[in-house]
Amino acid sequence: MAKPLPRAWANVEEIEELAVPRLPAAIAGYYTGYSGSGVTIKDTRDSFARWRLLPRCLRDVSRVDTSCSLLGRKLEMPILVAPMAMQCMADPVGESGVARATKELGGGMILSTMSTISLEEVAQAAGPDGFLMFQLYVLSKREVTEAMVRRAERAGYKAIVVTVDAPRLGKRDEDERLQFRCPPHLRLANLAELQKDSAAARAGQESSGSGFAAFFTALIDPSLTWECITWLRGITSLPIFVKGILSPDDARQAVKAGVAGIVVSTHGGRQLDGTPAPLDVLPFIARAVAGAVPILIDGGIRRGSDVLKCLALGATAVLVGRPILWGLTLGGEEGAKAVLSTLRTELEHDMALLGVPSLAQLNEDYIIPPSGGVLALPAARL
């Protein structure tokens, strides 16, 4: 039975405090968690207050178009769901419900390797009109990795998104303290055999701290280099994105390696603590890439105006993570859909106020950097 969707929230920023108390402590801790002292996760959200929008007046905004193009596909909004593990912990519809919500609203979704519903089932839920990409961890067992890539290709996924910022998990104190594990009634559906009977499974079971962290550490290949991109390009015809880029040097190297796109990300503030916020490095990444490939960005996006700032600084689209989990927790599939719909409505509204009827018109002229306000802008932009 579908959950009744609460109407007590007016925007995406409000829903976390409503959703978290409804979850068991270990699950809430995993979803809200961060690494280290939480410097990066806090700064990521704060970064949106540092960059200011510079509107234009007397522009015809009687019609506002929120659509964008990604991998040759028109999306009705530049908002995709970020890859997040174990969404069935929030609601039984999990990843399938989110896939249906994104299809209905004309967005897209990146499915996690660590999903609790198989990539084939999620593809079936999205249907032929859905836009799905598959997030991939390159495992020590390359044959298992290759099998997942081929499954995603057969199921109709549009791209492979390789996470490159996790040679091991960040130090997540809350997960260790609460001994977080995938709940016994759920499974990591894309890794079912490895979760059931493998050295990684035994490591997870025997851990006195976070069983999930121990399982993950035993699975992942920490010796990866850019060679893995060459290897992946050799086993699939799907476009390959790399997720977790913060350095312009890495962005240039990614383009040189033949990737089809870049995701600027701090892994939700859950990997190395003390790194810069994705929004702050985005313009440098955009200049390094120079339009060669699309750029996606995630981290801290809660408002339509946040989306505008990302796009003005060079992103093609944004990824939204935790708010989707809160929507699922509060209202299942309808809750996830409400979160996406709220963001899309705010985006359309704020585009009109900014004076841009089309996303294609956005550029750095519509944004003020944090360094010194309006007086720091070149005269041509005043």
Side-chain angles (χ1 to χ4, degrees), residues 287-298:
R287 287 167 201 156
V289 169
V293 297
I295 299 171
L296 309 181
I297 182 173
D298 69 11

Side-chain angles (χ1 to χ4, degrees), residues 128-149:
D129 296 329
F131 186 88
L132 296 176
M133 304 164 77
F134 183 67
Q135 177 269 331
L136 180 74
Y137 286 113
V138 179
L139 311 182
S140 295
K141 293 188 174 183
R142 287 282 180 103
E143 68 276 13
V144 178
T145 308
E146 181 172 350
M148 280 195 294
V149 170

